[in-house]
Amino acid sequence: MIGPGVIGKAALQKQQSTDASEKERQRGFRLHNTNIPARPLEPCLYLVATPIGNLGDITLRALETLAGADVLACEDTRVTRVLLDRYGIVNRPTAYHEHNAAEAGPRLLAALGNGKSVALVSDAGTPLVSDPGYRLAQQAVEAGYRVVPIPGPSAPLAALVGSGLPSDAFLFAGFLPVKDKAKRDRLAELAAVPATLIFFESPHRIAATVTAAAEVLGADRRAAVCRELTKTFEEFRRGTLGELAAIYDESANVRGEIVLVVGPPEAKPQPEAADVDALLKELARDLPMGKAATEAARRTGLARKELYDRLLHLKDGDEG
């Protein structure tokens, strides 16, 4: 005779098996009213690029990864939930962001250690670009886990190709400092880089930033302000930094997410050492050393740090 405890255990096992089968059945996504099952994923860390505005920019591989991952980590579960709902993905996201990385990171690494597949997304664009995801990727690599990029939308690249500026060499420099002096110092450091520069900027600071860029990098340098990329009100404003500074004055009411793209400096013939020294001495008579080096960098195309060190050497020589 079979006891009630055995029947209860058998029923529980059957329910668990049914739940597992249901979970496997639900691992998929919906595309144009067609349900597409997601294949099992290899246990590793997947870095999944998500749309920067237009949800139609998601890739099929990204959808399959989001649906099939054992663990789905994201910056903001509410933002990611919008994307998941759009494509009928029932995977439940868990938060991983700057403020909880110390606690959430070890849990995600433990999941990898237990043979789970972990997918990481940012709110928009490619993970690890200006977000804390690089820490998790670094820790996963150091622990010997495989890290797999799932490429897709990227705001810096979208801005670059839409700007009309040279794309053979470019530097993504993230956000500039907020304070004016630090911002100008950073721009001066980048002034002579022979590449197109790409920055993220907030709408309420874009006016001050293009003004500073015009003064430090030169008003005639080509640039583009790229706003609300891939969204309904996408906008590209192209011109010189001087022209853009006039458009985005302090009274401008600017909204949306912005990428500032600045073209490379014009190639200039290398000045003679004696001419550089003479210029530095002339500028140093009327300007503090830092500003003298910045202005010399703008005029000559040489690195500001190199010119500052050179000015220090000249100053020491004069005093000696």
Side-chain angles (χ1 to χ4, degrees):
M1 184 174 180
I2 300 176
V6 176
I7 295 176
K9 184 177 181 181
L12 178 60
Q13 290 174 336
K14 181 178 180 180
Q15 181 61 48
Q16 289 174 338
S17 177
T18 301
D19 291 344
S21 298
E22 178 65 15
K23 185 176 181 181
E24 289 299 322
R25 187 185 68 79
Q26 291 178 345
R27 288 197 177 193
F29 58 94
R30 186 178 62 251
L31 193 62
H32 301 307
N33 296 322
T34 299
N35 293 318
I36 302 174
R39 293 167 293 183
L41 294 177
E42 175 188 349
C44 58
L45 175 62
Y46 296 88
L47 306 176
V48 186
T50 56
I52 59 176
N54 190 322
L55 294 183
D57 290 337
I58 192 75
T59 68
L60 293 176
R61 189 182 177 202
L63 289 173
E64 186 170 41
T65 304
L66 296 179
D70 295 316
V71 180
L72 173 55
C74 62
E75 281 187 86
D76 188 325
T77 58
R78 296 166 298 180
V79 173
T80 299
R81 188 76 262 165
V82 173
L83 176 64
L84 300 181
D85 289 345
R86 165 72 179 270
Y87 290 100
I89 297 173
V90 299
N91 210 345
R92 182 178 179 181
T94 183
Y96 174 83
H97 47 69
E98 181 180 1
H99 304 294
N100 77 342
E103 297 78 27
R107 291 198 296 269
L108 297 176
L109 291 172
L112 291 171
N114 290 328
K116 303 288 187 181
S117 56
V118 177
L120 176 68
V121 302
S122 62
D123 283 349
T126 302
L128 278 62
V129 178
S130 286
D131 75 33
Y134 77 90
R135 299 174 194 161
L136 181 64
Q138 184 180 55
Q139 292 166 349
V141 169
E142 291 174 350
Y145 300 121
R146 189 177 172 209
V147 175
V148 177
I150 308 295
S154 169
L157 291 179
L160 175 65
V161 299
S163 69
L165 296 169
S167 58
D168 54 334
F170 59 90
L171 170 66
F172 173 63
F175 284 95
L176 286 165
V178 175
K179 293 187 177 180
D180 186 65
K181 182 181 183 306
K183 178 181 297 184
R184 290 170 182 268
D185 288 346
R186 178 60 174 153
L187 287 168
E189 291 172 358
L190 299 172
V193 174
T196 295
L197 306 176
I198 306 173
F199 305 97
F200 285 161
E201 191 51 280
S202 67
H204 64 276
R205 288 200 296 266
I206 187 61
T209 294
V210 292
T211 297
E215 294 175 0
V216 175
L217 303 179
D220 293 334
R221 195 150 162 178
R222 305 296 299 179
V225 174
C226 314
R227 189 178 67 85
E228 292 291 85
L229 291 169
T230 79
K231 299 177 184 178
T232 302
F233 298 104
E234 178 180 84
E235 177 185 70
F236 289 89
R237 288 199 170 180
R238 307 173 182 90
T240 65
L241 283 170
E243 291 168 343
L244 292 172
I247 293 172
Y248 292 96
D249 59 27
E250 294 295 343
S251 63
N253 182 22
V254 184
R255 295 181 180 180
E257 297 178 338
I258 292 175
V259 183
L260 173 64
V261 185
V262 181
E266 291 185 10
K268 297 180 180 179
Q270 291 295 315
E272 297 290 335
D275 294 336
V276 175
D277 290 348
L279 175 63
L280 287 169
K281 288 181 178 180
E282 178 186 349
L283 292 171
R285 283 198 292 268
D286 301 317
L287 298 171
M289 289 182 58
K291 290 187 176 181
T294 297
E295 178 61 19
R298 190 183 70 80
R299 294 190 190 183
T300 64
L302 299 176
R304 178 185 181 278
K305 186 178 185 307
E306 173 188 338
L307 292 168
Y308 187 85
D309 292 342
R310 195 162 176 168
L311 186 55
L312 279 176
H313 179 73
L314 291 171
K315 186 172 181 294
D316 290 342
D318 291 342
E319 291 177 352

